[in-house]
């Protein structure tokens, strides 16, 4: 039970985030609700280039927090994101997905570049100092926590939500990856 408690709390946090996002984003009389999810960040991409949120303005894009040592959630989600991008076809040729690494100790630009070589090239890895990563996590109202393992190593708990951000870097919705890629792509296409 003690081992299950962090997973239960994590799941409850995801449910709460989903409910909060739904409540905040319900349109009022034709007006689009604004959200406090997202905000300024300065990070380094997998090619060593410094970027900010402004570099991704002008087009709808996805944001996902994760880490390269993640055993299953992150690689599965990145593959699903790639499948959705592929299912968009030509309409999504300029759609980017940002993979913000929550483990800056291990996830250097070089590590991200190697890791992301297995996924859709439109997925851009971002990392930075612990302070820069923490600032991005806070801006997106995400959750991270470093958890020691019995083997003396550590893992990272993190929000597994895929954020859809519009061209003005405003939160639109969460990408529903429980649907088949073509259906998720159809939903995403509405935001493009």
């Amino acid at each position: 039970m003690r081992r299950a408690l962090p997973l239960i709390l994590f799941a409850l946090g995801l449910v709460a985030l989903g409910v909060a996002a739904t409540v905040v984003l319900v349109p009022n009389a034709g007006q689009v609700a604004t959200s406090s999810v997202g905000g300024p960040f300065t990070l380094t991409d997998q090619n060593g280039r410094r970027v900010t949120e402004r570099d991704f303005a002008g087009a709808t894009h996805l944001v996902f927090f994760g880490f390269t040592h993640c055993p299953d959630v992150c690689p599965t989600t990145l593959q699903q994101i790639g499948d959705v991008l592929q299912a968009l076809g030509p309409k999504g040729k300029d759609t980017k997905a940002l993979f913000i690494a929550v483990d800056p100790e291990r996830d250097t630009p070089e590590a991200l570049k190697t890791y992301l070589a297995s996924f859709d090239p439109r997925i851009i890895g971002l990392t930075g100092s612990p302070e820069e990563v923490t600032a991005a996590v806070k801006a997106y109202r995400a959750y991270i926590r470093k958890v020691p393992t019995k083997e003396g190593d550590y893992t990272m708990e993190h929000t597994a939500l895929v954020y859809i951000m519009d061209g003005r870097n405003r939160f639109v919705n969460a990408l529903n990856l429980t649907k088949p890629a073509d259906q998720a792509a159809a939903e995403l296409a509405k935001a493009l």
Side-chain angles (χ1 to χ4, degrees), residues 34 53 56-61 165-171:
T34 58
E53 77 289 347
F56 305 102
T60 298
H61 55 281
M165 306 301 289
D166 71 10
R168 292 170 52 188
N169 287 314
R170 296 179 306 185
F171 178 70

Side-chain angles (χ1 to χ4, degrees), residues 3-85:
R3 284 183 71 157
L5 185 60
L7 289 174
I8 291 168
L9 292 174
F10 177 70
L12 289 174
L14 284 178
V15 169
L17 180 62
V19 169
T22 301
V23 169
V24 169
L25 297 175
V26 172
N28 263 341
Q31 295 178 330
V32 176
T34 58
S35 170
S36 62
V37 174
F41 63 79
T42 301
L43 295 166
T44 303
D45 73 12
Q46 76 266 22
N47 295 312
R49 186 173 70 98
R50 297 291 283 171
V51 297
T52 72
E53 77 289 347
R54 292 182 302 277
D55 291 299
F56 305 102
T60 298
H61 55 281
L62 305 174
V63 176
F64 175 63
F65 291 89
F67 64 114
T68 63
H69 286 73
C70 182
D72 48 24
V73 172
C74 296
T76 300
T77 302
L78 290 171
Q79 183 60 51
Q80 291 171 315
I81 289 170
D83 293 345
V84 169
L85 293 174

Side-chain angles (χ1 to χ4, degrees), residues 19-185:
V19 169
T22 301
V23 169
V24 169
L25 297 175
V26 172
N28 263 341
Q31 295 178 330
V32 176
T34 58
S35 170
S36 62
V37 174
F41 63 79
T42 301
L43 295 166
T44 303
D45 73 12
Q46 76 266 22
N47 295 312
R49 186 173 70 98
R50 297 291 283 171
V51 297
T52 72
E53 77 289 347
R54 292 182 302 277
D55 291 299
F56 305 102
T60 298
H61 55 281
L62 305 174
V63 176
F64 175 63
F65 291 89
F67 64 114
T68 63
H69 286 73
C70 182
D72 48 24
V73 172
C74 296
T76 300
T77 302
L78 290 171
Q79 183 60 51
Q80 291 171 315
I81 289 170
D83 293 345
V84 169
L85 293 174
Q86 288 295 317
L88 281 172
K91 186 173 186 175
K93 68 179 174 50
D94 295 324
T95 304
K96 304 282 188 237
L98 311 181
F99 176 63
I100 300 178
V102 298
D103 185 8
E105 291 178 43
R106 296 184 289 203
D107 290 341
T108 63
E110 298 79 18
L112 284 172
K113 188 170 192 158
T114 300
Y115 183 73
L116 292 174
S118 300
F119 300 101
D120 190 289
R122 290 171 285 186
I123 300 173
I124 299 167
L126 300 176
T127 190
S129 70
E131 296 79 18
E132 290 169 336
V133 170
T134 297
V137 167
K138 284 183 179 179
Y140 282 83
R141 308 293 189 255
Y143 164 82
I144 61 169
R145 185 169 78 99
K146 187 175 183 177
V147 180
T149 63
K150 289 181 182 177
E151 300 79 31
D153 200 6
Y154 67 93
T155 189
M156 298 295 294
E157 291 179 355
H158 61 91
T159 299
L161 186 72
V162 179
Y163 302 80
I164 302 172
M165 306 301 289
D166 71 10
R168 292 170 52 188
N169 287 314
R170 296 179 306 185
F171 178 70
V172 175
N173 205 347
L175 182 63
N176 185 351
L177 294 175
T178 62
K179 295 180 177 184
D182 60 333
Q183 291 177 21

